[in-house]
Amino acid sequence: MSHSDQSQGTSRRAFLSANGTIAAATVLLPQSHAAAAESPPTGRERRVEFSMPALSFRDAGRQNSLGRLYDAALTGLIGINTVYATPAVYDHAGLIDYPPGTFVRAGGGYPSPQRWTRDAAVNAWNAASLLGPMVGANTLWAVIDRQEHDGLIVQQDNQWWDQVVWVVAAWNHYAITGDRDFLSNAYQASANTLAARKARNFNTDFGLFAGPSFMNDGIAGYPSPPWVDGIGSSFVLDYPHADDLMCLSTNCLYYGALTALAGMADQVGRSGEARGYRNDAQALRQAINRHLWREDPGSYGYLIHGGDTRAGELDPSQEGAGLAFAVLCGVADARRTRLLLNNAHWQPQGIVNVWPHFPRFSDDRPGRHNVMVWPMVHSMFGHAAAAGGRTDLFERAITNLASLVGDSDDNFYELYNSLTGAVDGGWQTGNDSRWTSQPDQAWSASGYLRMIYSGLFGLTFTPDQVSISPTLPSAWGDVSLYGVPYRDATLDITLTGTGNRVRSCTVDGRSSRPAIPAAATGHHTVHIVLET
């Protein structure tokens, strides 16, 4: 769907009450918001329930910039990219709930169908599981297959390194919702998926998982080798030894998946299996820090070459998603987190996919998966900056993205030029034509929501509670988030002060720690005062 088609959607603003508070709203998604192949069989309007928290800055200028883009992100995720899940295409495992029968697709600019593991998992992880638990679950189930004898597994397609992020997203979904039925199936799918990947892709010499990097299915994201001139393909696995690479982002996600799987095992009463997963996770964390950490520059390298002429060599490039996941998944300790945030390279328009340019690219011809700002990667880094205590870098990340999207008519595009901020798809091989940056990209929109929910307000979910660890930049003034859904409770959260240290917290007017237990019910008002 083009940006001009957004007028057909229902504006989020129509669902806000006069005082800005709302616990849940019903979003109307006209049939025109889905491709013909995704239309529900009745052809009638379909209703999908989402909770849409209202963001309110006391400062009018901040509301007009960050608040306006927040509304646009909700519209992008819910009004444009939540579509009907045609059963024959998306419900291979028989787990999607009809109704609502909807899920979050990758973006409005792509042909349908889109059964893409990485996009589904990231969108659920970023925001969909919080805002619409049934839709979040459907989005995750849309990329699950049911094996004849071994049960559920993440679809085994030709981007197998994408499968592991599903496990992290599934654990997050359970932590938010407490849905035991979801957990039982998610544990089976996660255990089967990690067993398959360990059997096929684990490099015992390094103690790392082999395969391309999380973001980079395009060859523009890699040095030479594996890139070699003359092949012409954009897909990374068409190049020799690309499957042997050991990449920072992918291994950090494996660590996150193993710790998530251990948590799932504990929850379903399999303590012995949980211990095994934790042991594997700890060994992997040690291997990542042994082989990929670079003490001299104080950051992680990008990848270790596998079976090519540079086998065993560490590429020193900066991988934006890899640095973010090192922090968010817990691979980097406090010292490494501080150093990598201090030393990260920023382009004028934000954190890029991989820095610097590989030799076949330049400022004039940037590589699509090289020195470009992908909002999803940039948002992950922004969240990591907040988690790492860098209020200044978090502010830089969120204002960078707001500027990029604001300059493109409030449309969350796929990627942007890192120097000019222009909507730009970049090049893949250096010899091909310029690619298109797709409009209405779901994970660009959900990435912005992630920076609001997980960064600014610091919402962190475990099976037992949601804790609130905000990051409020100076001069932003008071900010509130009304109608946050949490299981059987609804939260209104107001932040005052500045910084990331909680000076005081009240819940319903009584002094409290900044956390709400999973058993809470009803409406609660949280007020947090911050200091640097």
Side-chain angles (χ1 to χ4, degrees), residues 117 154-157 160-167 193 197:
T117 301
V154 176
Q155 63 174 331
Q156 303 291 288
D157 58 14
W160 38 264
W161 65 95
D162 280 351
Q163 296 163 19
V164 67
V165 69
W166 190 95
V167 181
T193 300
R197 297 279 59 84

Side-chain angles (χ1 to χ4, degrees), residues 16-45:
L16 299 181
S17 61
N19 65 359
T21 62
I22 189 166
T26 300
V27 181
L28 301 182
L29 296 176
Q31 184 177 348
S32 58
H33 273 235
E38 297 178 352
S39 300
T42 63
R44 296 192 298 263
E45 276 189 335

Side-chain angles (χ1 to χ4, degrees), residues 71-363:
D71 289 350
L74 284 177
T75 297
L77 184 70
I78 297 171
I80 296 172
N81 285 310
T82 297
V83 299
Y84 183 69
T86 306
V89 177
Y90 298 104
D91 198 17
H92 292 196
L95 293 172
I96 291 181
D97 281 318
Y98 296 93
T102 51
F103 78 116
V104 178
R105 65 180 177 182
Y110 297 112
S112 295
Q114 306 162 5
R115 194 169 180 252
W116 296 342
T117 301
R118 182 178 56 185
D119 298 73
V122 167
N123 283 316
W125 186 17
N126 280 348
S129 290
L130 174 64
L131 299 179
M134 291 183 71
V135 177
N138 285 350
T139 303
L140 292 167
W141 295 140
V143 294
I144 294 295
D145 288 335
R146 190 179 293 276
Q147 304 172 106
E148 184 176 355
H149 300 295
D150 297 324
L152 304 174
I153 194 168
V154 176
Q155 63 174 331
Q156 303 291 288
D157 58 14
N158 67 346
Q159 290 193 201
W160 38 264
W161 65 95
D162 280 351
Q163 296 163 19
V164 67
V165 69
W166 190 95
V167 181
V168 178
W171 175 241
N172 178 70
H173 183 90
Y174 172 70
I176 291 172
T177 65
D179 185 336
R180 300 290 301 185
D181 290 336
F182 176 89
L183 174 67
S184 177
N185 288 320
Y187 180 67
Q188 180 186 129
S190 298
N192 284 338
T193 300
L194 279 181
R197 297 279 59 84
K198 186 173 183 180
R200 300 169 193 168
N201 306 116
F202 188 68
N203 184 314
T204 56
D205 292 335
F206 285 86
L208 297 169
F209 284 87
S213 72
F214 161 76
M215 185 61 216
N216 295 336
D217 49 1
I219 193 59
Y222 299 92
S224 177
W227 180 82
V228 291
D229 195 9
I231 292 180
S233 171
S234 66
F235 184 51
V236 59
L237 288 187
D238 289 340
Y239 290 77
H241 299 296
D243 56 346
D244 295 329
L245 301 170
M246 292 164 277
C247 300
L248 177 64
S249 58
T250 301
N251 277 278
C252 288
L253 285 172
Y254 271 107
Y255 173 77
L258 286 165
T259 55
L261 195 50
M264 292 184 197
D266 280 334
Q267 291 290 310
V268 298
R270 300 187 179 186
S271 57
E273 294 176 16
R275 284 193 296 272
Y277 292 129
R278 286 197 176 91
N279 290 338
D280 287 348
Q282 183 58 25
L284 178 58
R285 183 174 186 260
Q286 291 173 353
I288 295 170
N289 285 321
R290 180 184 312 118
H291 296 297
L292 288 160
W293 177 255
R294 303 174 65 225
E295 188 64 33
D296 184 32
S299 191
Y300 289 94
Y302 172 24
L303 57 82
I304 296 172
H305 289 271
D308 55 47
T309 56
R310 298 170 65 183
E313 182 180 332
L314 174 63
D315 183 275
S317 303
Q318 172 182 295
E319 185 196 10
L323 296 186
F325 292 147
V327 175
L328 297 177
C329 294
V331 171
D333 57 18
R335 183 184 74 89
R336 288 188 174 96
T337 295
R338 175 177 55 81
L339 288 172
L340 75 84
L341 291 174
N342 284 345
N343 297 319
H345 172 83
W346 292 69
Q347 283 286 84
Q349 301 298 330
I351 291 291
V352 297
N353 205 42
V354 181
W355 169 263
H357 291 293
F358 296 125
R360 59 195 184 274
F361 302 116
S362 66
D363 286 347

Side-chain angles (χ1 to χ4, degrees), residues 379-462:
S379 296
M380 291 285 186
F381 191 89
H383 179 195
R390 289 296 301 271
T391 306
D392 57 331
L393 297 183
F394 169 71
E395 179 179 24
R396 184 176 180 181
I398 198 168
T399 54
N400 269 159
L401 184 52
S403 176
L404 290 172
V405 177
D407 288 345
S408 54
D409 297 326
D410 292 0
N411 191 311
F412 284 84
Y413 276 85
E414 188 179 24
L415 67 162
Y416 297 82
N417 189 287
S418 70
L419 290 178
T420 67
V423 174
D424 186 353
W427 280 262
Q428 275 288 12
T429 66
N431 299 320
D432 54 351
S433 59
R434 197 172 205 145
W435 284 53
T436 299
S437 177
Q438 296 293 340
D440 299 322
Q441 189 78 359
W443 69 15
S444 296
S446 68
Y448 186 83
L449 296 175
R450 183 190 191 103
M451 285 202 285
I452 296 295
Y453 301 144
S454 301
L456 177 58
F457 285 88
L459 300 179
T460 305
F461 298 91
T462 67

Side-chain angles (χ1 to χ4, degrees), residues 462-531:
T462 67
D464 300 323
Q465 66 177 23
V466 56
S467 60
I468 308 170
S469 304
T471 299
L472 182 57
S474 62
W476 276 26
D478 297 356
V479 58
S480 298
L481 192 62
Y482 298 109
V484 179
Y486 178 53
R487 302 195 185 187
D488 293 326
T490 301
L491 312 177
D492 293 344
I493 307 170
T494 295
L495 310 178
T496 62
T498 186
N500 53 23
R501 294 177 56 193
V502 175
R503 190 173 76 193
S504 66
C505 174
T506 60
V507 177
D508 300 328
R510 297 180 179 180
S511 181
S512 172
R513 64 191 183 92
I516 303 295
T521 61
H523 184 272
H524 300 279
T525 300
V526 182
H527 182 203
I528 294 177
V529 179
L530 296 160
E531 63 184 6

